[in-house]
Amino acid sequence: MEMTIYSKRLLKKSMKTILLVFLMLPLFASCDSHDPIDLDIHVGDILCSDGRIVRNSVFDSSKETAVAVVFAEQTDKHPVLAVMLDEADYIAFADTLSFDQKTSCKLDSCDGYINTVALQTTNIQRKVLVDSLHIDNAENYYKSPLGLLAFRSHWFAQSDYVPSVMELELLYKSLPTVNPIILMRGGTPVGTTEDAAGCWYWSSTEVKENSQNQAWLVSMADGSQHKAAKTNCYRARLVVEYNPYRSN
């Protein structure tokens, strides 16, 4: 039986529909297998001056200002942590021995922020102390030069502080990723050479057994820890917690 003109047109239309479906199948498959957009914050991301965190790969220096690089992702023990691009000069933990700055002395806690508050509180308490001891030139005693470096930057309600031992350990582990990005974004890489104590960084953690005289250093060369007299001068690198919901 010969096909009518209508039947031929219907068959032709059906064939076009089937062909179109086959052509679209790869598109549906590619959509299903496409990697989801990653909105999480990762080590190596850039903290900008406006409080946003962006991927290093899409950072635009003509439109954005980098201030820190993420070195620790958020966990149940700490928020996102970022290390500042700039290095502090060699500095003393304290200018006087036999004085307890009352930090936590914990080696397993990300409490650098609270420790730094204690270091700065010391500078308030010392006035009462030196007055009671009738010390001349009181401004030269019982201060924490290290602590006074902190809380000078406020990006999106964030403040930089002296990291704890545990926070420095996290920084050490991330250096293979973080240091090249710090350099790429115009900062000073964290020191890792042992020459002239170039790898030793002050933590904000005092030594529990001798808190009046010693605090902990962490090596960025191998992650080891060392007790040091507070009046000695070593490197310092401030960090910042990223919490966009914190307000002043």
Side-chain angles (χ1 to χ4, degrees):
M1 179 184 295
E2 294 185 1
M3 297 180 65
T4 65
I5 296 176
Y6 175 75
S7 298
K8 290 180 179 179
R9 288 179 178 176
L10 183 61
L11 178 61
K12 187 175 182 180
K13 185 176 181 181
S14 299
M15 293 299 293
K16 287 183 178 180
T17 301
I18 293 172
L19 179 60
L20 181 61
V21 170
F22 274 104
L23 290 174
M24 292 181 66
L25 282 176
L27 296 178
F28 289 120
S30 65
C31 289
D32 291 339
S33 62
H34 194 278
D35 292 335
I37 297 175
D38 186 358
L39 298 179
D40 291 334
I41 296 173
H42 297 292
V43 172
D45 290 350
I46 307 295
L47 174 61
C48 301
S49 59
D50 60 3
R52 295 182 305 112
I53 287 185
V54 301
R55 293 282 187 270
N56 180 56
S57 59
V58 300
F59 177 82
D60 186 347
S61 59
S62 68
K63 299 178 181 179
E64 301 159 322
T65 301
V67 295
V69 178
V70 173
F71 69 90
E73 299 173 12
Q74 181 175 353
T75 70
D76 58 351
K77 293 184 178 180
H78 58 75
V80 171
L81 300 173
V83 60
M84 305 300 292
L85 293 184
D86 299 325
E87 183 94 348
D89 292 332
Y90 283 75
I91 197 166
F93 188 100
D95 60 10
T96 310
L97 296 178
S98 301
F99 189 65
D100 187 349
Q101 263 81 21
K102 301 188 183 303
T103 64
S104 71
C105 299
K106 296 178 180 179
L107 299 180
D108 58 353
S109 181
C110 290
D111 57 0
Y113 186 93
I114 301 301
N115 285 343
T116 306
V117 171
L119 295 180
Q120 293 223 340
T121 303
T122 295
N123 296 292
I124 300 173
Q125 295 174 336
R126 72 181 180 85
K127 185 179 186 305
V128 176
L129 178 64
V130 296
D131 286 348
S132 66
L133 297 177
H134 305 290
I135 297 175
D136 294 331
N137 301 319
E139 68 276 5
N140 296 325
Y141 293 88
Y142 303 106
K143 290 189 297 186
S144 172
L146 178 65
L148 290 175
L149 290 176
F151 303 148
R152 296 184 180 184
S153 303
H154 301 272
W155 296 286
F156 208 62
Q158 312 304 306
S159 296
D160 49 0
Y161 63 91
V162 184
S164 66
V165 167
M166 186 173 183
E167 289 165 335
L168 283 176
E169 293 289 355
L170 292 173
L171 176 59
Y172 161 71
K173 293 176 182 178
S174 73
L175 285 184
T177 298
V178 169
N179 254 353
I181 296 175
I182 291 176
L183 183 61
M184 184 186 304
R185 298 307 167 199
T188 303
V190 176
T192 58
T193 61
E194 298 182 5
D195 297 340
C199 63
W200 291 102
Y201 282 78
W202 276 123
S203 74
S204 57
T205 308
E206 292 170 295
V207 176
K208 184 176 181 180
E209 299 78 11
N210 190 16
S211 59
Q212 292 190 344
N213 299 300
Q214 291 180 308
W216 287 103
L217 298 169
V218 176
S219 169
M220 293 294 110
D222 58 17
S224 60
Q225 302 166 9
H226 178 70
K227 302 172 185 176
K230 293 181 182 180
T231 49
N232 290 348
C233 291
Y234 292 95
R235 285 185 164 183
R237 191 65 167 244
L238 302 185
V239 302
V240 60
E241 295 179 349
Y242 180 73
N243 181 1
Y245 303 108
R246 179 190 293 171
S247 58
N248 286 329

